Amino acid sequence: QKEVEQDPGPLSVPEGAIVSLNCTYSNSAFQYFMWYRQYSRKGPELLMYTYSSGNKEDGRFTAQVDKSSKYISLFIRDSQPSDSATYLCASSYNDMRFGAGTRLTVKP
Amino acid sequence: DAGVTQSPTHLIKTRGQHVTLRCSPISGHKSVSWYQQVLGQGPQFIFQYYEKEERGRGNFPDRFSARQFPNYSSELNVNALLLGDSALYLCASSSRTGRTDTQYFGPGTRLTVL
């Protein structure tokens, strides 16, 4: 079992939709949780970084962490075609462990 | 400010050869980490260096080695290349030593082993 599980998708939504991306993790020692966005043939770009359970909002993006259920979510409001990318969740204690990534397409 | 830079962008090698990948961190960042990303998967941690010392190593064979220079740039070396080493190699820099610190990734070097 991988330490961070993520549905690879692909996920396709119309422009303006609310997108929900989810991950689960198995290691209770994980303390930090990140979401990265990766465009094709590019390096991952940090979107959100959270430490505790709860919600963190940044513009159209909201990261949610539920440590009791080991569940991580990223919500994208008013999705745009430019949001089309692969979204990677990551958790860390000493090492950073990534999910496989969910490929998102936002159609105009 | 320039972000993390990596060279070369693309590389094609044959089995058994050796490869050296290079990384320059964001100015002021003293920590560099290396990751391997196979197509369709998330990045896997290979090494972290801080102030020229190895601070962490992932589950990779001894064919993989790295070092960090006084200017905080870094090299990743892979010997005796295998077909399975074909991947995007990512370098990430952070300002401190902890691998939990915010890491900023470079564009990667795409290695193809034939």
Side-chain angles (χ1 to χ4, degrees):
Chain A
Q1 180 190 9
K2 291 184 179 180
E3 289 188 277
V4 179
E5 297 277 1
Q6 183 175 9
D7 185 345
L11 182 62
S12 181
V13 301
E15 183 175 355
I18 296 175
V19 176
S20 172
L21 303 168
N22 306 295
C23 289
T24 58
Y25 64 94
S26 58
N27 191 339
S28 299
F30 285 147
Q31 296 179 352
Y32 302 89
F33 306 93
M34 283 76 57
W35 282 95
Y36 284 85
R37 177 174 61 195
Q38 187 173 25
Y39 291 111
S40 180
R41 299 189 174 273
K42 301 288 185 182
E45 169 195 9
L46 181 66
L47 279 178
M48 303 287 283
Y49 178 94
T50 59
Y51 172 71
S52 57
S53 282
N55 293 352
K56 182 176 182 179
E57 190 174 318
D58 184 2
R60 297 185 295 111
F61 298 90
T62 299
Q64 190 173 80
V65 175
D66 183 347
K67 288 188 175 181
S68 63
S69 60
K70 299 188 180 66
Y71 203 79
I72 314 163
S73 298
L74 178 71
F75 299 96
I76 307 174
R77 292 183 298 280
D78 188 25
S79 56
Q80 304 295 311
S82 59
D83 295 328
S84 299
T86 296
Y87 289 80
L88 297 157
C89 63
S91 303
S92 68
Y93 173 56
N94 283 322
D95 296 324
M96 197 151 74
R97 308 284 177 160
F98 284 85
T102 299
R103 187 168 181 177
L104 170 69
T105 300
V106 181
K107 296 184 176 181
Chain B
D1 284 343
V4 177
T5 59
Q6 292 186 245
S7 63
T9 305
H10 297 88
L11 206 50
I12 298 175
K13 293 285 189 179
T14 57
R15 281 180 298 175
Q17 284 189 312
H18 163 271
V19 69
T20 297
L21 310 180
R22 295 177 175 83
C23 170
S24 292
I26 291 171
S27 177
H29 283 191
K30 298 182 179 180
S31 178
V32 169
S33 297
W34 287 95
Y35 293 82
Q36 180 195 65
Q37 187 176 23
V38 174
L39 193 63
Q41 296 182 21
Q44 272 198 294
F45 172 72
I46 309 175
F47 286 111
Q48 189 203 28
Y49 277 77
Y50 179 76
E51 293 278 17
K52 296 178 290 181
E53 290 188 5
E54 181 182 304
R55 292 300 181 98
R57 174 187 285 254
N59 188 24
F60 279 80
D62 292 343
R63 299 185 295 107
F64 289 77
S65 63
R67 56 179 175 167
Q68 187 177 33
F69 300 99
N71 65 354
Y72 304 115
S73 67
S74 178
E75 282 183 354
L76 175 70
N77 295 283
V78 187
N79 292 323
L81 286 168
L82 303 174
L83 295 179
D85 294 331
S86 295
L88 181 68
Y89 287 85
L90 295 161
C91 172
S93 77
S94 60
S95 58
R96 296 179 298 178
T97 181
R99 290 193 290 282
T100 56
D101 294 330
T102 303
Q103 297 196 15
Y104 298 88
F105 284 86
T109 293
R110 187 162 296 279
L111 173 65
T112 302
V113 182
L114 302 177

